[in-house]
Amino acid sequence: MSRWTMSANLELNQAVERLNAGGADILNLAFGESRLPVLASLADLLAAAAHETAYGPVAGTPAVRDAAAGFFGRRGLPTDPEQVIVTPGSKPLLMAVQLVAGGDVLLPQPCWNSYAPQARMAGRTPITVPIPRECGGVPDPAALRAAIRTARARGLDPRLLICTLPDTPTGTVAPPDLVRAVCEIAEEADLTVLSDEIYRDTLHDVRTPLLSPAEVLPHRTVVTTGLSKSLALGGWRIGLGRFPAGALGERIRAGVLAVASDLWSTLARPMQEAAGYAFGDPPEIRHRLAASARLHGAVARTLHSIMVAAGARCRPPTGAFYVYPDFEPLRAPLAGLGITDSPSLQQYLLDEYDISVLAGHQLGDDAGALRFKAATSMLYGHTDEEQHAALASTDPVSLPHIRRTMTRIETALADLHARCRAEPVG
Ligand SMILES: Cc1ncc(COP(=O)(O)O)c(C=O)c1O
């Protein structure tokens, strides 16, 4: 098999779009793209900045870095503009940190599907560590200790730990105690922590506590984020990194800047204008963030109920726009339908119900498990009008266009459950 394979979620999304363009009607729950309208003020700023054609500084203009420092400061992380870098999406930034940090990479299992391929591209070995029962985004502390020991005994050199708060694929956020426990191990084991906080502003309830590892281990935590998810600007490719103050942070930041200077030069200048405005958190941005988070929460909670009613175990979602059901309780009857692992579960949902999900093994999970990621972010409507209505509603699931889609999923999953009940077990 070629070492160079397409990212599973992007490849699946393109395949689904091709099939739908050819007349199919596949419901795409496999891709975490937030489909919401762009704010008019951001679009205007971008258009007005079209004449900004110079490359400018690799880290970003002083104006955008000032705004980014304020953005972090309002989220509990006092920041000097010299600590930040803007990038064309956070994906290349995550790759650059993996290249520069050195050592092998500890990852929660399951986790976002690009961390492990990036680790391999950087010449590192990804070391996956199961997540705890209650949430994703961080490894289980006891399993983390054991994994570090075992990895070292195998001659590996674990030095970077990636956490995701809130998390994909589980749509949960690790509670502060767990973050502290994981950070304690990172300190003992001399790990650098890479805290991917791209979903931070999508917490469904602002009262849910989110403790960044950068608050616990300020000297050894790099934070990455961006506007792809919170403001639904994935195609604009606006990413942001915050590096720790001190020698380690300066070394990693300088390395990332060197990688940037040879790979992407800088974030497109017009994007820096739009980003500078958004990072300032003016009232209309705050209002949009709150409305989007409320929408993600309402739809994700409904999807969660559908999965549980169909017989799955599923962590209740509290952030981002995903659920990660586990159909283990139905293993025996599912086997009667030919579903024995996550690839066959994904295929069955596509073949029988025209529903596309991302199987757990694509996220580093055990292929034998019956788990998949389902995203809600493309269910908010096909037109700007439908999406605006979804954002404005206090009960978006009752809107006809969202209701229809949720009913379609509910009917499919209820049918799967009924087929399981009809299967002779044993
Ligand atoms: C956890 C996580 N991190 C990073 C990214 C990358 O986003 P971007 O490159 O658009 O900033 C994604 C996108 O799917 C993600 O889910």
Side-chain angles (χ1 to χ4, degrees):
M1 197 177 83
S2 163
R3 181 165 173 264
W4 304 106
T5 51
M6 275 280 283
S7 181
N9 59 339
L10 290 165
E11 184 166 46
L12 185 56
N13 182 54
Q14 289 182 13
V16 169
E17 294 210 326
R18 259 196 316 275
L19 289 168
N20 281 347
D25 179 23
I26 297 167
L27 191 60
N28 193 354
L29 304 181
F31 198 49
E33 175 175 298
S34 183
R35 287 261 169 95
L36 290 169
V38 62
L39 276 169
S41 52
L42 284 173
D44 290 348
L45 269 169
L46 187 65
H51 62 278
E52 299 276 0
T53 51
Y55 285 99
V58 173
T61 62
V64 76
R65 284 187 290 112
D66 270 354
F71 170 94
F72 283 119
R74 284 184 296 280
R75 286 158 182 79
L77 299 173
T79 302
D80 187 279
E82 283 303 307
Q83 284 173 263
V84 302
I85 296 180
V86 289
T87 54
S90 62
K91 208 178 231 186
L93 171 61
L94 288 158
M95 174 78 213
V97 174
Q98 296 217 46
L99 276 166
V100 170
D104 297 309
V105 184
L106 292 150
L107 296 173
Q109 178 192 10
C111 65
W112 179 51
N113 57 290
S114 286
Y115 300 137
Q118 288 191 348
R120 288 189 205 99
M121 283 188 237
R124 319 291 182 210
T125 300
I127 304 160
T128 55
V129 188
I131 57 174
R133 180 183 284 267
E134 70 263 43
C135 66
V138 297
D140 176 77
L144 177 60
R145 267 186 214 286
I148 295 170
R149 247 194 333 268
T150 312
R152 287 181 176 156
R154 281 172 57 206
L156 295 175
D157 179 22
R159 274 201 269 149
L160 184 67
L161 167 65
I162 302 187
C163 300
T164 319
L165 291 104
D167 169 54
T168 179
T170 66
T172 60
V173 55
D177 281 355
L178 204 48
V179 171
R180 280 194 201 91
V182 166
C183 285
E184 199 180 308
I185 299 168
E187 179 73 32
E188 275 168 29
D190 195 20
L191 306 176
T192 299
V193 180
L194 175 48
S195 185
D196 180 346
E197 300 179 11
I198 195 160
Y199 294 103
R200 180 176 189 127
D201 286 340
T202 66
L203 270 185
H204 303 163
D205 181 341
V206 286
R207 290 164 302 186
T208 304
L210 190 156
L211 179 68
S212 170
E215 292 174 76
V216 188
L217 297 176
H219 51 296
R220 56 169 78 242
T221 305
V222 177
V223 178
T224 61
T225 184
L227 301 181
S228 298
K229 312 295 175 180
S230 57
L231 288 176
L233 296 176
W236 282 22
R237 313 302 302 124
I238 296 171
L240 172 62
R242 176 190 185 275
F243 298 83
L248 175 75
E250 278 162 27
R251 180 181 71 73
I252 298 177
R253 185 173 182 271
V256 168
L257 280 175
V259 172
S261 69
D262 275 328
L263 277 191
W264 66 78
S265 296
T266 187
L267 171 60
R269 274 298 277 279
M271 291 304 171
Q272 296 193 36
E273 297 295 316
Y277 174 71
F279 291 146
D281 290 318
E284 66 158 348
I285 296 282
R286 292 206 303 273
H287 182 261
R288 168 56 72 89
L289 293 175
S292 308
R294 185 180 60 200
L295 172 60
H296 298 318
V299 180
R301 281 191 298 276
T302 304
L303 196 56
H304 173 260
S305 306
I306 291 173
M307 297 300 166
V308 171
R313 288 193 294 249
C314 191
R315 296 173 181 87
T318 52
F321 28 74
Y322 307 102
V323 294
Y324 193 64
D326 182 352
F327 282 81
E328 187 61 34
L330 297 180
R331 178 170 288 282
L334 285 172
L337 301 173
I339 301 171
T340 52
D341 52 18
S342 73
S344 52
L345 179 55
Q346 172 180 313
Q347 196 61 43
Y348 193 90
L349 292 174
L350 187 61
D351 292 345
E352 295 294 314
Y353 305 115
D354 280 341
I355 291 180
S356 172
V357 297
L358 195 64
H361 72 286
Q362 313 271 23
L363 303 151
D365 211 348
D366 175 6
L370 297 167
R371 300 190 268 264
F372 60 78
K373 167 163 112 168
T376 64
S377 48
M378 299 195 4
L379 307 181
Y380 305 147
H382 292 298
T383 61
D384 271 16
E385 200 184 357
E386 284 179 344
Q387 293 166 5
H388 275 301
L391 279 169
S393 174
T394 51
D395 182 14
V397 179
S398 68
L399 294 171
H401 69 278
I402 299 187
R403 186 69 265 161
R404 254 193 319 275
T405 306
M406 299 317 279
T407 303
R408 177 174 166 186
I409 302 170
E410 188 169 21
T411 307
L413 271 291
D415 184 73
L416 179 69
H417 197 202
R419 289 184 190 187
C420 283
R421 283 202 303 267
E423 250 335 281
V425 175

